Amino acid sequence: MHRRLTLASAGVVAALLLTACTGGARDAEPEPAGSPDPDASVSVRLVLEPGNLNVRETSGAALDQILIDNIYQGLVTRTPEQEIEPALADDYTVSTDGLTYSFTVREGVTFHNGQELTPQDVVWSLQTAKDTPAYVDSERLAKVSSITAEGQVVTLTLTEPDSQLLWTLTGRAGLIFKEGDDTDLATAANGTGPFTLASWRQGDSIVFARNDAYWGEPATSAEIVFSYIPDTSAAVNAALAGEVDVLTGFDATLAERVEANGDFEVVTGPSTDKGTLAMNSLTAPLDDIRVREAIRRAIDHDAIIEALGAGETLYGPIPPLDPGYEDLSDVVPYDPEAARELLAEADAEDLDLTLTIPSFYPTTIPQVLVSQLAEVGITLEVDSVEFPVWLQDVYTNRDYELSFVLHTESRDFENWANPDYYFTYDEPRVQELYAQSLVATDEDEVSELLSEAARIVSEDMAADWLYNGASVLAVANNVSGMPTTNVNSRLDAAELGKS
């Protein structure tokens, strides 16, 4: 089964949904003072820079965030609100039995190198993605038995229904490339999107230029500069100095500072980010459900939101934007006394546990957890490690007790149905419900199956979900069209403009 990992970076952990407005933050973008300048260059601060640009073979949210929709496209795409829409296909149909998907490929589309997009390019791209295990999400096309083209229509035939296929085609596995193209995807790009890759100064910025030959509406701005500034204070200073127009991964507690001179406004939007406290149930004493429940009951989620200055509580593996969401706060209400009783029942009083966390995360979450768990007799040691160490020890070897990361990917419940994933959760009922959701052809049925499975995961105390993160951005008052939903996953810059 596929092992999916999409994590957020240091600044993004603070990108939470504001439940109580901080420093005037609001959930809609500010109105710019005038019409966008078509010759403008807009600078957007991002946090995590990709190591290379090979979107087919390199995992990580940093590539999805900027390359999909802007540079590369698929037959279909997803809106920030998670709706699926046509892209390089101007129309598509799905048979009633869920076994045949037909896409009408747009005519008049060209790649950035000037070559025409053909239905054969689509067939080749999807077939290559399916047949190359090294490509990200290749196995998601496993149920596709044939990919053929007749005229402008490309047809995918499946061995059995796959309720996630359209979603898969909006991501890495569905991206369309030019057959025979020899572009070095690690350092260059040749897509069909509204921007071309103009330059990449590693350690500093990636620049996109408007694609004047784009098949759709042209991009609003002539240039988008993605400036990689990991340190939040440095990013705020750059914005106040007029060097950056938009701050993503923004810390909501700094809203008053950035809004002080009236040039910026803090705005927010929802996302599928999940601040996840993983518990290794293969390791004593966490193999005892009473201990895991005690940890969850000892954690005051509202206090976490207050400490961060923003956020929305989450008590299960599915966030509100994804199918199958249900408010699971009834499963484990905050109750330190009950936590102490559970630890006593499990003969696990005065516990010493280690929290392994990537070093690029701020200290807020560990500090809160140390304090709250201490109140029920659990001493928490925080082991802040470099990300490669975390990948080796936690993700690969599953050598940990507790771990915290911000999982950003949409519709990633599959990880809870995968006993080989680093979560270590292995429940046949959940695996069966997830399998049933994949072959279901009715959206309501899919949602019901996922909801049932998610409740089981939460009731099994498989982990704790500390919060549902979101986009928190500081946007200059002369900037328009900045997306505010799921920005950590996808940042479609086509309508981003500056007056």
Side-chain angles (χ1 to χ4, degrees):
M1 188 176 290
H2 179 49
R3 302 176 66 183
R4 163 164 291 196
L5 175 71
T6 311
L7 307 178
S9 60
V12 176
V13 75
L16 308 172
L17 179 62
L18 295 184
T19 53
C21 291
T22 304
R26 63 180 194 172
D27 59 4
E29 66 177 80
E31 291 294 329
S35 299
D37 177 3
D39 297 323
S41 174
V42 183
S43 178
V44 179
R45 177 266 183 143
L46 298 180
V47 179
L48 185 62
E49 182 180 16
N52 69 71
L53 302 181
N54 192 334
V55 73
R56 299 196 98 173
E57 298 185 45
T58 306
S59 297
L63 291 180
D64 299 73
Q65 187 179 37
I66 64 170
L67 294 183
I68 300 180
D69 294 329
N70 293 317
I71 299 291
Y72 298 109
Q73 297 174 305
L75 293 169
V76 289
T77 188
R78 69 182 79 156
T79 70
E81 294 75 26
Q82 312 301 284
E83 299 295 328
I84 295 174
E85 294 183 341
L88 294 180
D90 55 21
D91 190 23
Y92 66 90
T93 59
V94 182
S95 63
T96 55
D97 62 5
L99 297 178
T100 304
Y101 288 69
S102 299
F103 301 88
T104 303
V105 180
R106 291 185 188 274
E107 298 187 63
V109 176
T110 58
F111 287 90
H112 295 160
N113 65 359
Q115 292 183 289
E116 181 184 3
L117 168 71
T118 69
Q120 177 55 34
D121 294 324
V122 174
V123 172
W124 174 82
S125 296
L126 298 181
Q127 191 67 54
T128 303
K130 171 181 166 60
D131 295 341
T132 311
Y135 287 178
V136 176
D137 290 344
S138 169
E139 69 282 4
R140 288 177 169 269
L141 298 174
K143 294 182 180 180
V144 178
S145 60
S146 68
I147 307 169
T148 60
E150 183 174 345
Q152 290 299 117
V153 177
V154 171
T155 301
L156 277 62
T157 304
L158 280 63
T159 55
E160 64 177 356
D162 181 357
S163 65
Q164 294 299 307
L165 180 62
L166 282 175
W167 185 261
T168 294
L169 294 178
T170 69
R172 302 284 194 100
L175 297 180
I176 306 304
F177 300 83
K178 184 65 183 176
E179 183 176 12
D181 183 25
D182 60 359
T183 298
D184 181 358
L185 297 184
T187 57
N190 181 31
T192 58
F195 293 98
T196 62
L197 175 64
S199 65
W200 178 19
R201 294 174 56 197
Q202 288 186 275
D204 181 80
S205 61
I206 293 176
V207 180
F208 290 173
R210 180 169 49 222
N211 174 17
D212 291 327
Y214 182 54
W215 58 267
E217 288 292 324
T220 299
S221 296
E223 183 180 81
I224 304 294
V225 179
F226 295 110
S227 298
Y228 291 97
I229 311 175
D231 182 75
T232 299
S233 294
V236 171
N237 291 337
L240 296 178
E243 299 169 359
V244 177
D245 301 304
V246 178
L247 298 177
T248 69
F250 186 68
D251 186 337
T253 63
L254 300 176
E256 185 175 348
R257 177 185 173 194
V258 80
E259 291 181 331
N261 64 7
D263 291 336
F264 281 82
E265 184 163 11
V266 175
V267 295
T268 67
S271 87
T272 55
D273 296 357
K274 300 161 289 292
T276 306
L277 179 66
M279 305 186 200
N280 190 345
S281 59
L282 301 180
T283 302
L286 295 167
D287 56 349
D288 190 325
I289 190 173
R290 294 170 297 183
V291 174
R292 300 196 302 272
E293 181 177 353
I295 291 172
R296 295 189 70 188
R297 288 190 180 274
I299 297 173
D300 184 350
H301 292 71
D302 291 325
I304 287 176
I305 303 306
E306 183 177 356
L308 291 167
E312 183 173 69
T313 56
L314 184 68
Y315 295 87
I318 299 179
L321 282 179
D322 281 353
Y325 169 74
E326 178 188 3
D327 180 359
L328 296 175
S329 57
D330 63 302
V331 174
V332 277
Y334 173 56
D335 190 341
E337 182 57 36
R340 285 187 281 268
E341 293 174 0
L342 285 163
L343 290 171
E345 287 178 20
D347 194 22
E349 297 170 288
D350 300 319
L351 275 184
D352 291 312
L353 294 173
T354 299
L355 173 71
T356 306
I357 182 171
S359 58
F360 54 63
Y361 285 112
T363 60
T364 305
I365 292 295
Q367 288 174 345
V368 171
L369 292 177
V370 167
S371 175
Q372 293 185 353
L373 293 182
E375 293 182 9
V376 300
I378 298 175
T379 300
L380 187 65
E381 177 185 348
V382 179
D383 186 14
S384 180
V385 300
E386 294 298 316
F387 191 52
V389 175
W390 186 92
L391 284 173
Q392 183 64 37
D393 292 349
V394 178
Y395 182 68
T396 301
N397 295 335
R398 300 192 289 180
D399 182 14
Y400 74 100
E401 291 181 323
L402 302 175
S403 185
F404 170 80
V405 292
L406 186 64
H407 286 258
T408 66
E409 183 62 59
S410 306
R411 304 193 188 191
D412 60 354
F413 182 80
E414 67 196 68
N415 294 331
W416 297 101
N418 180 3
D420 294 327
Y421 197 66
Y422 88 93
F423 291 153
T424 73
Y425 180 66
D426 186 358
E427 174 48 61
R429 292 178 301 162
V430 169
Q431 295 158 22
E432 177 58 28
L433 287 167
Y434 181 67
Q436 291 176 19
S437 77
L438 291 179
V439 298
T441 56
D442 179 77
E443 291 183 4
D444 290 338
E445 182 183 0
V446 171
S447 186
E448 290 172 5
L449 290 165
L450 291 173
S451 179
E452 182 180 352
R455 178 169 283 275
I456 294 172
V457 173
S458 188
E459 290 176 344
D460 282 348
M461 310 299 159
D464 195 39
W465 298 270
L466 304 180
Y467 58 85
N468 172 208
S471 309
V472 179
L473 310 100
V475 183
N477 290 334
N478 63 339
V479 169
S480 61
M482 178 63 196
T484 59
T485 298
N486 254 353
V487 171
N488 299 337
S489 298
R490 299 277 185 91
L491 203 169
D492 186 344
E495 297 182 6
L496 185 55
K498 182 167 69 173
S499 60

